[in-house]
Structures are given as structure tokens and as C-alpha cells.
């Protein structure tokens, strides 16, 4: 066993110098050493995109144990919107840790849980009576949304969409579309999950939102029947599936159909929520008022917390004791959430996400003019992406995508890919990133594309 030498405490947060700086190759020698330990100690199924090991993070920077400072275009997959170790979060968490760490809310309660529920009821779209239940992870909240919808309707079937991602537990694997790496070999999957076609403007020949919704509804009516359907679950902008923004009108038409047929409409805003898309919730862009909305990731500044919020009659249908879990709505995570949610408001981060959209869209469109391998530039707010293709055929180019990401990583930019075809580069910077760092990151991307 290695005993760490005494070292000064490491501090992250916005005071971390906001500049990219490489002092070793990436990954550096200490990260490589730690990665060897990881390989010997951690299950191989827990993959690592970029094997640098972090010692501090804040603003738009991740600093690794070799002393390299990398630009963060990932936010830990859309989690640290308010910035890593944001001071308000650190303060709230420290105070809560010192007061009490856990009681189990379903044994003896505490105010933080109730206050988070009140905030979510107020902030989520829809001016109707709402209730909230808290959980730990996005997948756990999705599972519970489905449980609640089934209990409320007395029906069993659930519809998810092509390219969907909803998690890695058994039910959420069933809801998730992509086999590799999420599902392959992990079946059998939960029954009564059905898949409908999505609106994917870049790949469905510009089908209108209304027409795409009609196509999906036809599949649902023919293959399942509304009378058997408890819920439709959809990401308003698909995340892991490729940052797919459906054609205008698709989501409203689906919601109208769900309402007309007493089907619970669930928006999975785990990735799109909390200012990320230039609205507090992505549902707002098209005036959607989901019956249930699932949130996680950006809710608590990096602490594990998730929620289901929605219409009081649906949320209250489950009997007391039917929803819960030892750690659900942990007091430390709730304290973090209250500070985080307040920061989105006090720091105008919805507006900041819109500014970042303008900055990213401008640069990405300019790159696309000279590089036809960029087939599409899309997204909303600080959730933008490019889809890389063979310019001659429009076929997805996953190999190129991998090369670009690797070149960016080597140059000190944390860049994530996604997409059913593995050919989408996504941009999820912390909303706390400066324009200078964002532009420098985009310069790194430009160079990585040129070298690939
Ligand atoms: N719903 C829309 O994006 C998580 C997955 C990371 P958990 N996305 C990141 C990985 O490879 O495991 C996600 C999502 C949407 C649900 C989830 C699941 O959220 O907190 O990861 O369980």
C-alpha cells in the first residue's frame, strides 16, 4: 500500500488559475502510474475516456496530478454547470457536513429535502400543483418516474425513442437505445418497453416535427395501443444519443397526443436541465409542460442527487412507503442543491448559457464552412455539438471523431464524444467558463480537426 506524503491541502474552485498549461505529455507520468493502479484495482467495465487523474478543478479548468491544467468542455457530463467546487456549494456542504450527514429522510426528516422539493416545484415548467420526490442518480429517478406513472395509470407499457439514453440500471437499460457499450450482454431487459422513431432533422430528410410525431404516434397506436400505455419518456434534446434537437413541433405534438390519451408524458431532463440549454429546462423552448420531469446532474454542483417532479395527482398516487431509499435526498446533497440552484439565478447562468451558444455556434459554423466533414452544427445553449461525416456520402465518421478527440486530449482539452454512430463531438463547458478559455478550447478543436 502506498502512503501519500504530507502535502498542502489542494484547493479548486474559481481561484484556480484559469489558463491551459501543459507541463508533461498527456497523460503525464503520475497519471500513468495511477492508471496502472486503476487497472489492477478497478473492474475493466468501468472505462475511462481520458486517463488523467484530477487533483483540483474550478471555473473552466481541471488540474491533474502532474500539474497540467486542462480546459474542461465536459463538466463531468453536464454536472458542474456552476463550476467545480463553486464557493457557495463548498460553504453549504461544509456547514451541512458539520451539522449532520444523514438521517434517512423516510425515518426522520430535515428541511433541506423539503426546500429542494419546493424549489423544483416552483422552477419546473407548468403552473399546476406539483410534488417532488428525491433520489440519488439520474437512472434511479427515471426508474421512479416510470413506477409512478404505472401506479397512476394502472397500465404497464412505456415508450422510449430511438437514440434514447436513460441510464444503466435494468429498466433504464431497456429504455436506452444503444447496445454498445450500454446493453450488450447485460440482458434480459425489463419487459413492456417499446421504441418509437424520433425526429432527427439531420438524418430524416428534414421531416417536419408534426410529421415525425405522426410517424411515432402511428407506431405507438399500432404496436401498443394507447389503452395499454402508462408513459412516454423522452429527452427534449437527446444527450448520449447525439445532441439531437427534434424538429420544431415534434415535442408539442407528442405531448398533445399523450394528454388526449391519458398517457403520462415524462421529460428526462437529466442532461438538459438547470440552465444548460439557455432555459432553466429545455422543455421551455417549445412550451412543453411535462406531467413528470426527471432531473439530476446539474442539480447539486457535483453531489449525487436526482428528482422526479410533476403533477400532484400523479406524484401522490403511490402509497406511503412506495417510494424511498436509504440515501434518497441526502442532506449534504440537498444543501449543495439549494446553493447550486440559487447560483443559477444569482449568477444569471441561463443568460450565460445563451452567450456561450452564440460563441460556440459562431466558431463551429465558421469551421464548417471550410470543412465539409462537419455535417451538422446543432444544440442549444451550452449544449452544442458537431456531427462528423464522410463529406462524399454523409455516412457517420466515428474514426475521425475518435482521432479529433484524441488530438484534443493530447493538447489539454477535455472533449467528449457521443451519438448512436459515435460520430458526434459535444460541448458541455461549465457555465462558469470564461470566454477566453472557451475560445482557446475551440482553437484546440480547430487544430485537432486540421491534424486529423
Ligand atoms: N438520462 C438524459 O444523460 C446520464 C451517462 C454517463 P445517471 N448521462 C451520462 C455514463 O456513461 O454512464 C443520463 C442522461 C439522461 C439519464 C441519465 C442517467 O443518469 O446519473 O448517470 O444515472
Amino acid at each position: 500500500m502506498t502512503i501519500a506524503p504530507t502535502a498542502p491541502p489542494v484547493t479548486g474552485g474559481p481561484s484556480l488559475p484559469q489558463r491551459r498549461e501543459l507541463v508533461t505529455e498527456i497523460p503525464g507520468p503520475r497519471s500513468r502510474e495511477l492508471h496502472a493502479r486503476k487497472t489492477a484495482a478497478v473492474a475493466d467495465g468501468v472505462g475511462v475516456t481520458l486517463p488523467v487523474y484530477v487533483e483540483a478543478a474550478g471555473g473552466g479548468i481541471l488540474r491533474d496530478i502532474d500539474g497540467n491544467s486542462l480546459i474542461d468542455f465536459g463538466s463531468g457530463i453536464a454536472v458542474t454547470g456552476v463550476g467545480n467546487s463553486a464557493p457557495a456549494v463548498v460553504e453549504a456542504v461544509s456547514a451541512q457536513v458539520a451539522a449532520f450527514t444523514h438521517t434517512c429522510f423516510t425515518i426522520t426528516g430535515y428541511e433541506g429535502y423539503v426546500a429542494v422539493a419546493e424549489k423544483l416545484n416552483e422552477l419546473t415548467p407548468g403552473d399546476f400543483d406539483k410534488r417532488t420526490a428525491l433520489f440519488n442518480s439520474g437512472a434511479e429517478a427515471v426508474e421512479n418516474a416510470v413506477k409512478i406513472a404505472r401506479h397512476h395509470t394502472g397500465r404497464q407499457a412505456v415508450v422510449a425513442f430511438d437514440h434514447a439514453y436513460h441510464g444503466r440500471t435494468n429498466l433504464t437499460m431497456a429504455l436506452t437505445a444503444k447496445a454498445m457499450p450500454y446493453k450488450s450482454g447485460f440482458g434480459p431487459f425489463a419487459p413492456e418497453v417499446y421504441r418509437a422513431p424520433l425526429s432527427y432533422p439531420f438524418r430524416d430528410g428534414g421531416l417536419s416535427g408534426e410529421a415525425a410525431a405522426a410517424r411515432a404516434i402511428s407506431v405507438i397506436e399500432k404496436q401498443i395501443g394507447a389503452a395499454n400505455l402508462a408513459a412516454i419518456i423522452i429527452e427534449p434534446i437527446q444527450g448520449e444519443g447525439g445532441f439531437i434537437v427534434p424538429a420544431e413541433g415534434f415535442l408539442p405534438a407528442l405531448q398533445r397526443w399523450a394528454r388526449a390519451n391519458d398517457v403520462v408524458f415524462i421529460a428526462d431532463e437529466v442532461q438538459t436541465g438547470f440552465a444548460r440549454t439557455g432555459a432553466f429546462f429545455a422543455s421551455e423552448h417549445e412550451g412543453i409542460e411535462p406531467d413528470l420531469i426527471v432531473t439530476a446532474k446539474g442539480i447539486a454542483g457535483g453531489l449525487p442527487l436526482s428528482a422526479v417532479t410533476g403533477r400532484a395527482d400523479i406524484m401522490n398516487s403511490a402509497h406511503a412507503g412506495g417510494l424511498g431509499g436509504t440515501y434518497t435526498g441526502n442532506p449534504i446533497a440537498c444543501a449543495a442543491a439549494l446553493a447550486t440552484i440559487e447560483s443559477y439565478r444569482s449568477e444569471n447562468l441561463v443568460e450565460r448559457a445563451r452567450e456561450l451558444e452564440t460563441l460556440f455556434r459562431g466558431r463551429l459554423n465558421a469551421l464548417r464552412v471550410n470543412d465539409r466533414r462537419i455535417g451538422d452544427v446543432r444544440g442549444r445553449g451550452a449544449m452544442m455539438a458537431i456531427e462528423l461525416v464522410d463529406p462524399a456520402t454523409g455516412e457517420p465518421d466515428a474514426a475521425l471523431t475518435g482521432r479529433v478527440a484524441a488530438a484534443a486530449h493530447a493538447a489539454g482539452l477535455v472533449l467528449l464524444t457521443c451519438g448512436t454512430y459515435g460520430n458526434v463531438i459535444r460541448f458541455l463547458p461549465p457555465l462558469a467558463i470564461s470566454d477566453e478559455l472557451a475560445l482557446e478550447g475551440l482553437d484546440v478543436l480547430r487544430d485537432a480537426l486540421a491534424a486529423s
Side-chain angles (χ1 to χ4, degrees):
M1 191 172 113
T2 324
I3 297 174
T6 331
V10 176
T11 315
S15 59
L16 201 64
Q18 294 297 298
R19 58 168 186 274
R20 177 174 61 117
E21 189 179 24
L22 301 188
V23 296
T24 71
E25 72 281 17
I26 302 291
R30 289 177 166 212
S31 279
R32 286 204 302 272
E33 205 181 304
L34 199 44
H35 197 59
R37 280 172 57 197
K38 181 265 177 192
T39 305
V42 179
D44 284 346
V46 185
V48 172
T49 301
L50 170 55
V52 303
Y53 286 78
V54 171
E55 123 182 312
I61 290 289
L62 298 171
R63 192 175 70 206
D64 74 13
I65 54 176
D66 289 288
N68 299 298
S69 292
L70 293 86
I71 298 177
D72 181 11
F73 271 8
S75 303
I77 321 190
V79 171
T80 52
V82 294
N84 243 298
S85 296
V89 176
V90 172
E91 197 183 317
V93 164
S94 307
Q96 183 58 51
V97 168
F100 64 96
T101 52
H102 175 78
T103 67
C104 190
F105 185 77
T106 55
I107 305 295
T108 49
Y110 38 87
E111 186 179 357
Y113 188 119
V114 178
V116 170
E118 289 168 346
K119 279 262 183 275
L120 291 173
N121 295 345
E122 174 203 329
L123 285 169
T124 47
D127 195 15
F128 38 79
D129 193 22
K130 293 181 202 142
R131 294 292 186 276
T132 286
L134 300 180
F135 303 96
N136 298 289
S137 67
E140 191 185 2
V142 168
E143 291 247 359
N144 277 278
V146 171
K147 266 171 76 170
I148 293 164
R150 282 178 168 156
H151 198 282
H152 171 75
T153 56
R155 305 172 182 171
Q156 296 185 350
V158 180
V159 162
F161 285 81
D162 285 336
H163 311 286
Y165 183 91
H166 298 290
R168 294 177 180 275
T169 58
N170 189 259
L171 174 59
T172 60
M173 274 194 292
L175 295 168
T176 292
K178 192 175 175 178
M180 273 303 280
Y182 307 122
K183 304 170 72 163
S184 191
F186 296 131
F189 303 110
E192 287 303 316
V193 171
Y194 300 86
R195 199 162 304 287
L198 185 75
S199 162
Y200 188 164
F202 180 63
R203 295 206 169 269
D204 62 16
L207 195 64
S208 74
E210 289 278 348
R215 179 176 66 177
I217 289 165
S218 166
V219 167
I220 295 169
E221 288 180 337
K222 302 284 178 310
Q223 297 185 17
I224 309 157
N228 303 305
L229 186 58
I232 286 178
I233 181 163
I234 189 161
E235 301 153 83
I237 299 173
Q238 285 191 322
E240 304 304 309
F243 280 33
I244 304 164
V245 185
E248 197 183 332
F250 179 71
L251 294 170
L254 281 181
Q255 187 183 30
R256 276 197 304 277
W257 181 85
R259 195 160 286 174
N261 290 280
D262 296 320
V263 170
V264 178
F265 186 89
I266 307 173
D268 178 345
E269 292 235 23
V270 167
Q271 192 151 166
T272 52
F274 298 100
R276 173 59 53 190
T277 67
F280 220 94
F281 295 101
S283 296
E284 295 166 36
H285 293 293
E286 286 204 69
I288 296 293
E289 294 182 352
D291 298 313
L292 301 181
I293 179 162
V294 182
T295 55
K297 291 191 186 281
I299 192 172
L303 276 87
L305 187 71
S306 63
V308 182
T309 300
R311 290 184 186 277
D313 58 330
I314 302 175
M315 289 298 296
N316 282 338
S317 82
H319 46 272
L323 307 175
T326 306
Y327 294 112
T328 52
N330 168 271
I332 304 166
C334 287
L338 292 171
T340 300
I341 292 168
E342 181 51 34
S343 297
Y344 287 119
R345 295 220 261 201
S346 63
E347 294 170 26
N348 293 322
L349 293 180
V350 170
E351 188 52 41
R352 181 64 191 144
R354 291 198 199 128
E355 288 171 11
L356 286 167
E357 173 173 344
T358 305
L359 185 153
F360 275 81
R361 196 181 287 286
R363 282 294 187 97
L364 296 171
N365 279 332
L367 285 175
R368 182 165 182 263
V369 169
N370 296 313
D371 189 343
R372 303 315 290 182
R373 298 174 302 172
I374 302 177
D376 197 19
V377 173
R378 60 175 180 253
R380 289 190 201 272
M383 185 172 181
M384 298 293 297
I386 53 177
E387 177 158 353
L388 298 181
V389 297
D390 176 339
T393 61
E395 284 300 304
D397 196 339
L400 170 65
T401 308
R403 289 196 302 275
V404 172
H409 295 166
L413 173 67
V414 177
L415 197 62
L416 308 181
T417 62
C418 65
T420 297
Y421 313 109
N423 68 326
V424 177
I425 292 180
R426 55 172 152 176
F427 307 95
L428 288 168
L431 306 174
I433 199 170
S434 66
D435 280 2
E436 293 68 35
L437 268 190
L439 289 167
E440 191 183 340
L442 285 162
D443 286 346
V444 173
L445 171 77
R446 176 199 60 206
D447 297 346
L449 271 162
S452 305

